[in-house]
Amino acid sequence: MTNPRLSRRALLGSLSAGVAAPLILNLLAIEDAAAQSAGASADYRALVCVFLQGGNDSNNLLLATDPGSFAQYWTARFAGAEPIAIMPPGTPPVPIGQVSSVTKRTVTTPDMPEHWGGALPIAVATPQPVPAANKVQGGPDTRSFALHPMLSGVQGLFAAGRAAAIANVGTLLAPLTKAQYLAPTAAAPVPQRLFSHADQQSAWQSGQVDGSATGWGGLMADTFQAANPAPAFQAITTAGNTAFLSGVSTRSFRVNYASDKASAQTITLAAQKGRYNQSDSFLDEFRLNLQEASLGFTQSSDMVMDYAEGVGRSIGGATTFDTALGAAGGPYTSVPKPPAFTDPISGKVAVNPLAGQLEAVVQTAAAHAALGVGRQVFFVQLGGFDTHDGENPRQGLLMAQLDHALAYLDQALTAAGLSDKLTAFTASDFNRTFTTNGDGTDHAWGGHHLIVGGAVKGGDVYGTYPTLGVDKAASGATPAFANPDAAGAAFIPTTSVETYLATMATWMGVTDAQLPGVFPRLAAFPVRNLGFMRS
Amino acid sequence: MTSSSNSSAQIAGGVAVVGAIAAAAAIAPKLGSLVGGAPNASTATAASFLNRATFGADAASAQSLAAGTTDAWFQAQKDAAPSPGGAPGFWASPANFHLAWVDRRQADFDAQYAAAVAAITDPNAKKPNHRRVDRNQFQEGFWARAVTGDDQLRHRMALALSEIFVVSFQGSTITPRIAASWYDMLSARAFGSYVDLLKAVTLHPAMGLFLNIIGNTQADKDPTRHPDENYAREIMQLMSIGLVQLEPDGTPRTDAAGAPIPTYTHDDIAALAKVFTGWGWYAAKPTNNTFAKQPGNGVGGAAPDVQNLIPYPALHSQLSKTFLGATIPAYTGAAPTTPAGAAALADYQAKSLDTALKVIAAHPNVGPFIGRRLIQRFVTSNPSPAYVGRVAQAFNGDPAKPATRGDLFATLKAVLTDPEAQNRDAALASPTSGRLREPTLRMAHWLRASAATSQAATGSAVGNWVQFADLGDPGYLAQAQLEAPSVFNFWDPDFTPTGSRIAAAKLVAPEFQAVDALTVAAYANLMAQVVQNRGWPGGDVKVTYAQEIAALTPPTATAPDLDSALIDRINTLYFGGAMSPVLQGRLTRVLSSTKSTAKAPTADQRASVRLDKVRSALILTLTAPEYLVQR
């Protein structure tokens, strides 16, 4: 069977066309099981990809704050017209109109990092040694870490053991050293189209450059078909089409999050019955017309059929979804609303679109039994991370939105009794340059990410945080500096996106035997599981 | 833009196959093509052409083209103003239409405010609201021109260019005036030379803001900093040459191992980024403070907020720059601290930009790269390599005459008149032909074919085209001009929908990137609503269906409605004569089932039945998958 998504009618039609009958009957049985909407699986699990669209400058998300590392950070970032350096941990916030004792600058606007106070320290369970090039004489042997000053909620989740970070993850085809990056070989290839938004978004979501037909979340979901009587709802997006949620047979279903309750979009006239426009047949004809191609009247056009099937899925899914979510007093009502969000730059109460999306996610997860799914993969997105300029006000707001949304997610999951059943992780196009372009940063490579949920072995930084600093030739009394982990201002990833995601796929129940089908390049990397998930 | 009921009847007569639907079902009609110099194509064939080349066929334009020739049509379109014939002021100028529109609307708001203030008698009364133009007023101008403008080809090309050279209100501080000025620039350059367009794009403040050219400062002596690479990367990746080397027919060139060969490396980007340093806001007396400080809104085309960026020589890189195999040598003139030095460096900066843009525009990828994108915007998502090759050839011009390279009018004409665009019998026989119509084009088509007007129009003015909502919201059209989510436009030229037939055929369908469970439903709801209500919510943009009702109305009061004439008209204008027998049958059934419940309907009751027939037929048409895919 090449197309498992053929409609029921097309399947019945093809019985006479010589397609193997038992397989078709089997597929019909699956559809019938979906219609019955079997009860919840007791071991429900869900994974949420929080995509930070545009390339988050994660150099300011997770900072190494031991003296040698921070000195390199400060040199690179306290520079240019609008320095983008976060203040060292412990620095008190400087009110507007006063002078910072750290930078000697007068704070004039709320988007100056001096105004935010220092980076927020986190304790880690597993010490990371300070790399040789960042060691200072008499300095500590292990690294200390801190978060962006807007991430106080995440700092709390670290302390509570429900958040972890992973350092220097990025797109890789195989493990790669700096020497190999500079002189690539067939055995140690460099990924294609680094630094390009569309391609690296796709590579993060699918392992392929732009145009990939499948992505990791969708392929993962393909393996859950057996656990999901209603696979239409095993991949849910609040943000339109993404490579991440596309499987061989899995397609994403988009839901609205604008109102208080997650909802599907119903086609009003298709749900209406009776007479319309003085015709008894219009409404029936309207319903058929929308999805005619999917009902077997081939139009000899692939796009016509593809569109019609999309409408068919929308109509079919909307009814089921709204019914499942809509039951009065149903499980979704156990999910609290996000608290008010205040924009730290403007000081005004504002809408946090990420919190709204996560509210819809938790509501949908809470209704999983009625939706007929035991495993779900979600995709949510926050845009605006392409901070080539104006990085301070823009990333400051985005970090505050991320923090507010993740802290809310933790609360909502607890309230819904889903804390250890749903895990959220961040992903992004790429990290940005370690150096500034004056008031912003450009496209780079390996970066740092967050994992949040009750099933996370939190309070730790996984992966290896890179050596900080940019290569420099010796000049006068200043010795040369060579960073073994960076090419120019970009870090060469030491953990592949595959390994990061495979660790969570295993938690989701993808078996060792199934993993290569989802992550074909996983075998190229020495580690399959980074150990940040409880089993 | 007027048309009599008589012309509707002519249209109905212009189509061979309708009415006797069942009999015709088995035979595909011969649809014919428009041949450059030959007049008298069918109205349906003319409409099909106009549905690709314009914002949609209406009865008058289809009949006019059917009676003339495409060569004459192209020439007339090249010379057309947005709306000639007594239209006031800016309506005569394609280069100043949108900015004048936005300024006019601000003047309206100013006058409303002044009147409200003047009407206040109580000194303690609250001050009235003084409305400022926002992006909706830019959108108004777009729709006014799309629906009623005479320079359809130019405006349609501007839309296509706005999806290749993308700037967006999203994630930027572009004002309605800057957006309007940007669209005017695209209009004015739409039929000009590619390299001139590239320069105008580079120096327009909209691009300066969107891809951070403004504020980009040299870092010649600062090893901790580097110039901003945003524009340098995207001008090559998205606006000119793309990521991989192309054959003249647009197929990727491959190395010995069969892998595509990249067009450039990061070193090329870093070098080109230096060319784009030191360009800042226009100021009468430029200083370091005016460089990146956005001027307030002015009025008219000469105000600083809509002027081209200017050189700030001290902030421009003086280093040597090597990219795409070319080198711009380092600046070696006098120090810019002297007036002579500053002038020499400004000259170096301006010439460096010209050189860089010429190097990009001369790259052999540009013809096939831009050619394929234009074909996708106008005709089909998956052109054959031969088609791309022919369009690239038109772009390349005569190699012996370099000035002929990059003629956008010739390129566009090649896109629209290519045999692959014109041979509709072949297109309809192929399961992989065509493109999903952009939501904007579906809405514009309905408004044009239904002769929509703005209620605020008086005399020869065209009204306000008041926007009822943000059409770019996924709950409405999921597309509004200059509202793309990023520089990658609303859709990626290589997007392919998951698990689709198009994917199985290893083909692409860019516009499907905006198709999902939410947007297909929102679109159907929106069109069902506006068709039913005879206009956009808010009441300004309205249709009467006068032509459609005239087509239905029988010659004598007691005769039955001419249902097949309405179907003929829809088949002609919306489908270019290629409506499927299935849909023809559906419309026939629905129209014949539409009746008054009265035993002896009055004239009013019969008129109300006719109105409902038009509504039902258009709702079914505009939501039919076979309409949504243009072939």
Side-chain angles (χ1 to χ4, degrees):
Chain A
M1 176 104 313
T2 53
N3 188 345
R5 285 285 164 166
L6 285 175
S7 73
R8 187 186 186 90
R9 183 158 173 174
L11 285 169
L12 289 168
S14 59
L15 275 175
S16 55
V19 180
L23 184 51
I24 284 168
L25 294 174
N26 209 5
L27 284 166
L28 290 175
I30 291 171
E31 284 200 351
D32 288 340
Q36 288 160 15
S37 219
S41 29
D43 68 341
Y44 172 77
R45 282 182 183 185
L47 192 59
V48 184
C49 176
V50 179
F51 204 85
L52 310 179
Q53 203 243 347
N56 178 37
D57 179 16
S58 55
N59 300 300
N60 276 3
L61 176 110
L62 177 68
L63 292 83
T65 53
D66 48 284
S69 303
F70 198 78
Q72 287 291 347
Y73 172 90
W74 194 258
T75 302
R77 299 203 146 209
F78 190 72
E82 292 170 27
I84 52 168
I86 298 295
M87 299 299 116
T91 312
V94 178
I96 291 182
Q98 295 189 20
V99 177
S100 160
S101 61
V102 175
T103 65
K104 316 296 178 211
R105 299 199 308 168
T106 303
V107 173
T108 52
T109 54
D111 59 22
M112 290 173 68
E114 290 91 332
H115 186 60
W116 305 340
L120 306 172
I122 49 170
V124 296
T126 315
Q128 296 207 2
V130 176
N134 284 159
K135 280 276 272 191
V136 287
Q137 220 177 4
D141 292 329
T142 58
R143 263 184 153 152
S144 43
F145 292 105
L147 298 168
H148 191 284
M150 296 296 174
L151 295 177
S152 58
V154 175
Q155 184 193 29
L157 296 179
F158 259 86
R162 293 197 297 280
I166 182 157
N168 201 16
V169 197
T171 54
L172 285 174
L173 303 174
L176 196 71
T177 64
K178 184 173 185 174
Q180 288 165 333
Y181 172 76
L182 295 172
T185 62
V190 173
Q192 282 181 290
R193 304 185 195 173
L194 289 172
F195 318 121
S196 152
H197 283 294
D199 293 296
Q200 293 303 300
Q201 282 164 11
S202 178
W204 257 89
Q205 296 181 23
S206 73
Q208 309 291 326
V209 293
D210 188 26
S212 178
T214 56
W216 286 318
L219 291 172
M220 224 184 275
D222 284 347
T223 71
F224 306 147
Q225 221 100 324
N228 286 341
F233 303 111
Q234 64 189 11
I236 304 278
T237 175
T238 55
N241 285 306
T242 61
F244 183 72
L245 289 185
S246 301
V248 172
S249 62
T250 298
R251 283 190 174 91
S252 59
F253 187 78
R254 183 175 184 180
V255 299
N256 270 329
Y257 64 91
S259 60
D260 285 345
K261 189 180 79 181
S263 64
Q265 186 87 37
T266 303
I267 297 179
T268 315
L269 288 182
Q272 213 165 309
K273 291 202 166 40
R275 195 170 158 84
Y276 191 82
N277 279 348
Q278 305 185 67
S279 162
D280 292 329
S281 70
F282 173 83
L283 290 171
D284 287 339
E285 296 277 9
F286 175 78
R287 258 188 302 279
L288 283 170
N289 185 55
L290 287 170
Q291 40 186 332
E292 179 137 83
S294 68
L295 297 174
F297 296 95
T298 303
Q299 305 285 333
S300 74
S301 163
D302 289 352
M303 285 189 206
V304 169
M305 306 259 302
D306 287 340
Y307 192 92
E309 287 185 1
V311 177
R313 277 194 302 279
S314 173
I315 292 175
T319 312
T320 314
F321 188 87
D322 287 345
T323 306
L325 271 276
Y332 92 90
T333 49
S334 63
V335 179
K337 290 188 206 327
F341 171 73
T342 304
D343 179 334
I345 311 298
S346 73
K348 288 183 181 149
V349 173
V351 172
N352 179 358
L354 187 59
Q357 292 176 71
L358 290 174
E359 180 186 17
V361 164
V362 183
Q363 289 172 340
T364 306
H368 69 271
L371 287 169
V373 281
R375 290 284 186 279
Q376 281 182 300
V377 187
F378 292 90
F379 185 93
V380 300
Q381 181 161 279
L382 184 63
F385 285 89
D386 196 19
T387 50
H388 287 278
D389 67 357
E391 175 155 321
N392 287 334
R394 295 166 69 180
Q395 202 200 17
L397 169 61
L398 291 166
M399 288 293 110
Q401 288 175 328
L402 179 65
D403 187 68
H404 171 258
L406 292 179
Y408 159 71
L409 175 68
D410 180 71
Q411 283 171 23
L413 290 173
T414 304
L418 291 168
S419 182
D420 58 352
K421 296 186 185 304
L422 186 147
T423 302
F425 68 98
T426 61
S428 192
D429 316 22
F430 33 61
N431 192 3
R432 307 189 73 81
T433 50
F434 186 64
T435 52
T436 172
N437 62 28
D439 62 346
T441 47
D442 292 289
H443 306 178
W445 195 1
H448 321 308
H449 288 277
L450 299 172
I451 313 132
V452 172
V456 177
K457 287 185 198 166
D460 213 349
V461 172
Y462 295 84
T464 307
Y465 200 92
T467 304
L468 298 186
V470 180
D471 290 357
K472 209 162 36 177
S475 134
T478 318
F481 180 84
N483 186 337
D485 302 329
F491 297 115
I492 299 164
T494 39
T495 298
S496 73
V497 179
E498 271 98 331
T499 317
Y500 176 39
L501 277 146
T503 303
M504 293 180 276
T506 300
W507 173 74
M508 284 288 282
V510 177
T511 65
D512 281 358
Q514 289 168 329
L515 275 180
V518 181
F519 306 100
R521 281 194 299 265
L522 195 58
F525 300 97
V527 179
R528 274 189 164 204
N529 194 319
L530 297 164
F532 59 76
M533 298 301 298
R534 301 180 199 283
S535 50
Chain B
M1 293 293 129
T2 55
S3 180
S4 66
S5 59
N6 184 33
S7 66
S8 302
Q10 282 169 16
I11 281 222
V15 184
V17 188
V18 210
I21 291 147
I27 309 154
K30 273 289 187 197
L31 291 159
S33 344
L34 290 169
V35 180
N40 301 322
S42 79
T43 314
T45 301
S48 164
F49 174 85
L50 293 171
N51 286 342
R52 290 186 291 276
T54 72
F55 285 90
D58 61 8
S61 65
Q63 279 160 2
S64 158
L65 174 60
T69 68
T70 44
D71 283 347
W73 185 85
F74 273 103
Q75 192 55 48
Q77 283 292 307
K78 194 172 187 178
D79 301 335
S83 181
F90 59 88
W91 277 96
S93 165
N96 189 36
F97 176 85
H98 297 283
L99 186 58
W101 179 285
V102 168
D103 283 349
R104 175 181 72 93
R105 295 291 281 141
Q106 185 60 59
D108 288 349
F109 297 156
D110 293 347
Q112 283 162 15
Y113 173 74
V117 170
I120 291 173
T121 48
D122 175 1
N124 298 321
K126 214 177 128 210
K127 257 191 145 186
N129 177 37
H130 189 169
R131 193 172 165 196
R132 307 285 173 194
V133 290
D134 58 28
R135 58 193 187 184
N136 284 320
Q137 276 66 56
F138 162 70
Q139 307 285 355
E140 290 169 358
F142 170 84
W143 284 98
R145 193 172 183 177
V147 180
T148 66
D150 277 0
D151 61 345
Q152 285 283 303
L153 184 66
R154 188 183 287 278
H155 195 42
R156 182 70 182 74
M157 181 66 160
L159 173 67
L161 294 175
S162 78
E163 297 187 33
I164 298 170
F165 303 87
V166 177
V167 306
S168 177
F169 284 107
Q170 306 290 333
S172 78
T173 55
I174 290 170
T175 62
R177 273 178 51 86
I178 293 173
S181 160
W182 169 262
Y183 229 84
D184 283 334
M185 182 276 290
L186 294 180
S187 275
R189 304 268 171 195
F191 298 157
S193 111
Y194 171 79
V195 71
D196 289 351
L197 172 66
L198 206 55
K199 184 169 179 181
V201 161
T202 304
L203 293 182
H204 198 281
M207 187 58 85
L209 285 170
F210 192 61
L211 293 185
N212 319 101
I213 301 162
I214 295 170
N216 189 13
T217 309
Q218 54 96 348
D220 290 355
K221 290 181 180 154
D222 185 352
T224 64
R225 230 168 39 69
H226 55 271
D228 190 313
E229 293 165 358
N230 203 11
Y231 185 62
R233 181 188 312 278
E234 308 304 7
I235 190 178
M236 290 198 288
Q237 180 172 341
L238 301 174
M239 306 172 200
S240 59
I241 63 177
L243 290 164
V244 298
Q245 293 182 21
L246 303 176
E247 300 290 351
D249 66 3
T251 51
R253 221 166 250 179
T254 51
D255 62 18
I261 307 166
T263 29
Y264 53 84
T265 68
H266 183 255
D267 291 344
D268 295 293
I269 294 171
L272 189 55
K274 295 189 178 90
V275 177
F276 300 125
T277 53
W279 296 95
W281 287 102
Y282 171 84
K285 287 182 185 158
T287 68
N288 279 0
N289 289 333
T290 64
F291 175 57
K293 190 173 170 3
Q294 186 164 350
N297 270 344
V299 173
D305 59 334
V306 293
Q307 291 290 301
N308 277 352
L309 306 185
I310 58 168
Y312 284 73
L315 303 176
H316 182 70
S317 170
Q318 302 179 26
L319 303 180
S320 146
K321 307 153 187 90
T322 298
F323 54 90
L324 301 178
T327 297
I328 295 173
Y331 173 73
T332 53
T337 43
T338 66
L345 185 55
D347 185 56
Y348 168 82
Q349 176 176 355
K351 285 190 172 136
S352 294
L353 181 70
D354 286 342
T355 305
L357 298 179
K358 274 182 195 147
V359 167
I360 294 171
H363 193 287
N365 266 30
V366 180
F369 182 88
I370 293 292
R372 173 171 178 253
R373 270 156 182 69
L374 287 175
I375 294 169
Q376 286 189 325
R377 294 298 96 233
F378 285 91
V379 179
T380 176
S381 299
N382 297 286
S384 72
Y387 183 8
V388 175
R390 289 187 291 270
V391 171
Q393 220 165 18
F395 180 93
N396 294 342
D398 179 352
K401 297 177 194 153
T404 61
R405 182 177 168 80
D407 179 337
L408 294 172
F409 188 78
T411 307
L412 177 57
K413 195 170 173 186
V415 167
L416 289 167
T417 58
D418 191 89
E420 200 164 318
Q422 295 262 34
N423 188 342
R424 297 179 58 233
D425 290 318
L428 287 163
S430 159
T432 58
S433 64
R435 67 182 287 244
L436 184 66
R437 288 178 204 263
E438 297 173 39
T440 295
L441 296 178
R442 306 171 201 166
M443 176 66 90
H445 195 181
W446 168 70
L447 290 167
R448 282 177 59 75
S450 311
T453 54
S454 166
Q455 296 309 290
T458 49
S460 60
V462 287
N464 295 334
W465 295 86
V466 174
Q467 303 291 289
F468 62 93
D470 181 0
L471 286 170
D473 189 281
Y476 292 101
L477 276 185
Q479 182 190 17
Q481 282 52 64
L482 307 189
E483 300 261 357
S486 78
V487 71
F488 289 88
N489 195 27
F490 306 97
W491 30 73
D492 178 332
D494 293 317
F495 180 80
T496 190
T498 307
S500 63
R501 286 168 178 76
I502 280 292
K506 305 228 176 303
L507 295 172
V508 301
E511 292 84 355
F512 271 75
Q513 194 163 357
V515 171
D516 59 47
L518 193 162
T519 57
V520 293
Y523 168 75
N525 286 339
L526 176 62
M527 293 316 292
Q529 184 195 359
V530 297
V531 168
Q532 189 71 17
N533 294 342
R534 284 179 282 171
W536 286 358
D540 177 54
V541 175
K542 282 197 171 168
V543 301
T544 63
Y545 300 132
Q547 295 176 35
E548 287 80 358
I549 289 169
L552 264 178
T553 306
T556 59
T558 51
D561 286 347
L562 304 175
D563 291 357
S564 67
L566 177 63
I567 298 171
D568 284 356
R569 179 187 159 91
I570 290 172
N571 189 5
T572 300
L573 293 182
Y574 287 88
F575 295 88
M579 187 192 289
S580 77
V582 173
L583 184 54
Q584 292 182 34
R586 168 157 298 130
L587 295 183
T588 306
R589 289 192 298 277
V590 168
L591 297 193
S592 67
S593 76
T594 305
K595 329 184 152 77
S596 169
T597 50
K599 280 210 175 96
T602 62
D604 281 357
Q605 284 168 329
R606 290 202 60 187
S608 118
V609 165
R610 283 194 282 271
L611 174 58
D612 277 348
K613 284 181 175 178
V614 173
R615 289 165 158 161
S616 291
L618 289 176
I619 291 171
L620 291 168
T621 294
L622 289 157
T623 56
E626 70 175 81
Y627 167 73
L628 299 175
V629 177
Q630 180 171 28
R631 296 204 294 158

